[in-house]
Amino acid sequence: MSPTVKLLQGNEACVEGALAAGLRFFAGYPITPSTEIAEALSERLPRVGGRFIQMEDEIASMAAVIGASLTGAKAMTATSGPGFSLKQENLGFAMLTEVPCVVVNVMRGGPSTGLPTSPAQADVMQARWGTHGDHPVIALYPASVPEVYEVTIKAFNLAEKFRTPVILLMDEVIGHMRERIELPDTPPVPVVERQRPTVPKEDYLPYDNSQDVPPLASFGDGYRFHVTGLIHDQKGYPTSAPAKVEALLTRLQNKIQSNLDEILMWETIGMEDAEVAVFAYGATARSAVRAVRIAREQGIKVGLLRPITIWPFPDKLISQYTSQLKALIVAEMNLGQLVDEVERATKGQVPIKRVLQANGELIAPDTILRAVLEVK
Amino acid sequence: MLAEKYLRDAMMPHIWCPGCGHGIILQAVLRAIEKAGLDQDKTVIVSGIGCSSRASGYVNFDTLHTTHGRALAFATGVKLAKPELNVIVLTGDGDALAIGGNHFIHACRRNIDITTIVFNNSIYGMTSGQYSPMTPAGKFATTSPYGNIDRNFDVCELAKAAGATYVARSTAYHAASMPDLIVKAIKNKGFSVVEAISQCPTYYGRRNKMGSAVDMLNWQKENTVNVAAAARLQPEQLAGKIIIGELYNNPAPEFTQQYEELIARLQGGEE
């Protein structure tokens, strides 16, 4: 059958992607500019036998999502900056206890209540380090409505495969903008299901350190296992024995770091012969594409580096081009967050030009183009 | 034997202090689970943070030891996603009523089929003795060295007002009758709260000169009146007394049941 063509908001495309990935539980709390996700799922989920609940706050939404996921349901919540701050507590719980879930943050300007209906890329560092303690994190960042659909499915796949929360960051303008999208009958990427234990129940180790990602049983299946936010041994029981603490925290890092090929996604444009590159993500990358195109028409050898996975940071996206570049422009809608990561990845080999803007408006193509002309 | 069936050997010894009432209350919970005939593989025990919340780790079910105050929110996700599971929340006075107060009143309001046991020892024991929302006015704690100015909640009145459909109170001293109250709480199809008054001789008792654990258990005996007996007493005779027993039992439509009906209705193609 031919795909259904629709004109959808990013928030709606996120709902379509989540349902295509098998979402069956959503808990949320109203917050601009993400509310459409909750609204649509309150209508859609019960029709497919899933469950929606509006919780009393953002903390509770994150908690309910984890509880639901432990029964085997694919689970998601959606919020914006202030709510994302509140979710950090239980986001850390999900990371340590290795409970798959997807957390959408349709970003607005901050800090605090900030600019509720204006775009900003201000939470990229919070996505990395918002919750306390050493922890790995996966954060994805689509740049168009069709990409939101596909990346949402991938977010669920990564969450289930690596038993971890996955953060999906969206710009306010992507969340609310309408674009043409084709929705196929079957998902454009294969849907991943979580690995279940096959060992006898008495031998089950929910935190088995001999594998990157131990299988996860569901509550009610008879495994009778313990889940705690305390540092735990392989059985899931609390421990403070240094060797066991180290084994767990090391495995948590390794399960992400040793699978970067599967986790990292990016797009490049015109990098084959580029001497100047623009590094940009999300809505800013759309302005960068335009700036690159205009500069190319003027004969300037410029290209685009657009990460789709921003955490773990795609060092290789940068490092593979450092020898050919004489300048690198980093454009982001904040006062300088990912630019320091880019600088680290270049190991000082390429001068960096910062195009930073945090006034509630998109960075215009002209602004990026001027930077290109300055450094060419 | 109850202990062999329901306790995790590997987690013993427990961390509770000598004389603590929590073990007595946990035993009452396990007796109630046995008496109610719950399927051990279909029962999930959820707890928050604090002395009482360590109980989830000690018992042989699917168990979820969550973040401070959030047990009911996690439990809501478990119950709504898989309504056939029996969900029991073990929590303390600080966990349920200070940091978790918002989740508590909303779980009551929702009347979701979860049974909550509030282990009330009137103090934050895990952090060694700060006053909680259940520490009576005038009492001493490490953070109320001049006597507590804050007033305490009556958790049973709070639960009733917020919409819980079964509410009961007992004490560690009344260990023999507590399981029956918990059985009724479990059987109630809706949100049930059992306040279980516990003694903390180490922090609360010592600072308030209440004597040994035995003295504190005797205090529970002498300062409580059963709800049936209380009905025959005058208000002045009840002054300062704590009413125990079944305080409220008024079934109402349950949340997950209604959600299941919604799914059935929508999937039946009626709308």
Side-chain angles (χ1 to χ4, degrees):
Chain A
M1 266 174 64
S2 57
T4 311
V5 177
K6 288 195 166 180
L7 186 67
L8 292 187
Q9 288 187 334
N11 284 343
E12 293 166 338
C14 177
V15 166
E16 296 298 337
L19 290 170
L23 176 76
R24 285 297 176 271
F25 187 94
F26 180 95
Y29 186 83
I31 185 167
T32 303
S34 77
T35 308
E36 292 85 359
I37 296 173
E39 287 174 340
L41 285 169
S42 71
E43 200 254 319
R44 298 282 295 278
L45 272 173
R47 291 180 181 277
V48 296
R51 278 115 182 140
F52 166 91
I53 188 168
Q54 183 170 310
M55 293 297 287
E56 55 272 16
D57 59 33
E58 299 276 6
I59 299 168
S61 311
M62 189 66 222
V65 158
I66 297 166
S69 181
L70 282 166
T71 71
K74 288 189 178 177
M76 178 172 93
T77 184
T79 187
S80 186
F84 195 51
S85 292
L86 291 170
K87 295 207 191 289
Q88 296 300 331
E89 176 194 48
N90 288 330
L91 196 48
F93 182 90
M95 285 161 179
L96 179 69
T97 56
E98 299 176 76
V99 177
C101 56
V102 173
V103 179
V104 182
N105 175 5
V106 188
M107 283 177 290
R108 52 157 87 183
S112 191
T113 311
L115 294 165
T117 58
S118 299
Q121 300 181 307
D123 301 347
V124 296
M125 275 297 165
Q126 194 191 8
R128 179 65 194 88
W129 291 117
T131 197
H132 57 279
D134 280 313
H135 57 273
V137 69
I138 298 176
L140 309 180
Y141 207 132
S144 71
V145 171
E147 195 171 77
V148 168
Y149 173 73
E150 198 168 319
V151 167
T152 302
I153 299 172
K154 287 177 177 165
F156 277 93
N157 284 352
L158 292 172
E160 297 294 335
K161 171 133 195 207
F162 294 107
R163 257 187 82 173
T164 184
V166 171
I167 295 163
L168 180 70
L169 295 172
M170 233 195 285
D171 291 314
E172 183 277 336
V173 282
I174 305 287
H176 280 160
M177 175 177 60
R178 289 186 183 277
E179 279 187 300
R180 182 184 188 277
I181 176 172
E182 291 181 2
L183 297 174
D185 289 334
T186 52
V189 283
V191 167
V192 173
E193 301 301 335
R194 100 179 45 154
Q195 205 192 331
R196 310 282 179 182
T198 51
V199 296
K201 285 173 178 162
E202 57 276 16
D203 296 338
Y204 178 50
L205 293 176
Y207 299 94
D208 181 2
N209 284 326
S210 72
Q211 41 194 332
D212 280 355
V213 186
L216 180 58
S218 295
F219 281 178
D221 285 355
Y223 286 88
R224 294 188 207 155
F225 65 110
H226 188 49
V227 177
T228 175
L230 288 162
I231 300 291
H232 38 268
D233 62 17
Q234 299 190 92
K235 194 87 186 141
Y237 297 157
T239 181
S240 51
K244 292 179 178 175
V245 175
E246 195 174 330
L248 173 63
L249 295 185
T250 305
R251 182 175 59 74
L252 290 183
Q253 293 291 338
N254 284 350
K255 75 175 178 180
I256 304 301
Q257 286 305 320
S258 58
N259 292 289
L260 290 181
D261 286 348
E262 245 179 288
I263 296 166
L264 297 184
M265 297 178 278
W266 60 64
E267 183 198 29
T268 63
I269 295 176
M271 286 307 298
E272 302 70 29
D273 62 344
E275 293 168 358
V276 173
V278 181
F279 176 98
Y281 50 94
T284 307
R286 300 168 72 104
S287 292
V289 169
R290 173 108 180 116
V292 165
R293 196 176 300 147
I294 296 169
R296 278 273 170 187
E297 282 165 10
Q298 297 177 18
I300 301 166
K301 289 184 175 170
V302 57
L304 174 77
L305 301 173
R306 179 173 75 89
I308 298 169
T309 306
I310 63 162
W311 302 116
F313 189 77
D315 281 34
K316 202 179 150 198
L317 170 64
I318 312 292
S319 61
Q320 65 185 318
Y321 296 112
T322 45
S323 59
Q324 76 186 58
L325 292 175
K326 60 182 191 190
L328 184 49
I329 293 157
V330 177
E332 50 184 344
M333 279 188 281
N334 55 49
L335 295 177
Q337 294 197 19
L338 272 195
V339 61
D340 293 335
E341 286 294 307
V342 176
E343 198 154 29
R344 182 186 53 71
T346 61
K347 298 190 166 66
Q349 290 168 28
V350 186
I352 306 260
K353 166 92 180 157
R354 295 171 181 235
V355 178
L356 308 175
Q357 182 177 302
N359 61 3
E361 294 203 315
L362 285 168
I363 300 177
D366 274 357
T367 309
I368 297 170
L369 181 62
R370 272 198 301 277
V372 173
L373 296 173
E374 271 176 46
V375 301
K376 74 167 166 59
Chain B
M1 221 180 105
L2 202 70
E4 277 173 17
K5 181 172 177 188
Y6 290 119
L7 293 182
R8 286 173 171 148
D9 269 358
M11 290 289 286
M12 296 296 129
H14 59 70
I15 65 159
W16 295 324
C17 303
C20 173
H22 287 4
I24 297 171
I25 297 165
L26 181 60
Q27 186 186 86
V29 172
L30 295 176
R31 284 187 192 285
I33 288 173
E34 178 73 11
K35 211 165 174 178
L38 299 189
D39 181 343
Q40 204 167 348
D41 287 340
K42 299 289 177 195
T43 301
V44 180
I45 310 290
V46 186
S47 67
I49 294 293
C51 293
S52 58
S53 288
R54 286 301 182 102
S56 65
Y58 302 149
V59 294
N60 190 16
F61 300 89
D62 285 321
T63 51
L64 180 55
H65 177 223
T66 69
T67 45
H68 196 18
R70 319 300 178 206
L72 283 167
F74 281 80
T76 297
V78 172
K79 182 68 189 179
L80 179 56
K82 217 176 203 176
E84 66 266 32
L85 297 176
N86 310 299
V87 181
I88 297 173
V89 169
L90 307 179
T91 177
D93 43 309
D95 193 54
L97 298 167
I99 191 165
N102 198 34
H103 309 306
F104 182 82
I105 58 172
H106 286 277
C108 291
R109 174 181 64 81
R110 218 172 262 132
N111 194 34
I112 187 165
D113 188 17
I114 293 171
T115 297
T116 297
I117 315 297
V118 181
F119 293 56
N120 173 19
N121 61 2
S122 309
I123 203 86
Y124 284 88
M126 186 72 90
T127 45
S128 65
Q130 298 73 35
Y131 69 88
S132 89
M134 296 297 282
T135 306
K139 295 296 180 184
F140 294 91
T142 60
T143 47
S144 58
Y146 309 112
N148 188 19
I149 296 168
D150 266 16
R151 294 188 299 169
N152 60 296
F153 273 133
D154 179 327
V155 57
C156 294
E157 287 297 322
L158 179 67
K160 207 164 95 180
T165 46
Y166 182 90
V167 180
R169 183 187 285 125
S170 187
T171 80
Y173 175 81
H174 297 88
S177 56
M178 196 190 305
D180 284 340
L181 293 171
I182 300 175
V183 168
K184 289 188 80 174
I186 290 170
K187 299 256 178 194
N188 174 49
K189 185 81 184 153
F191 194 72
S192 306
V193 176
V194 177
E195 177 189 358
I197 294 173
S198 184
Q199 73 278 4
C200 174
T202 304
Y203 294 116
Y204 186 72
R206 188 152 57 194
R207 202 160 271 261
N208 288 287
K209 302 190 166 40
M210 292 179 76
S212 68
V214 173
D215 295 329
M216 292 182 83
L217 284 162
N218 274 320
W219 183 94
Q220 290 169 12
K221 175 188 173 189
E222 285 154 14
N223 287 277
T224 48
V225 178
N226 189 276
V227 65
R232 297 187 297 269
L233 296 175
Q234 297 303 312
E236 56 273 19
Q237 294 172 290
L238 286 171
K241 297 291 185 192
I242 298 164
I243 314 282
I244 58 168
E246 180 182 298
L247 305 178
Y248 189 68
N249 187 352
N250 191 12
E254 191 272 328
F255 184 81
T256 61
Q257 177 68 37
Q258 291 183 87
Y259 205 94
E260 292 310 290
E261 287 166 12
L262 171 68
I263 291 173
R265 207 170 80 214
L266 293 172
Q267 294 198 325
E270 287 172 40
E271 286 168 40

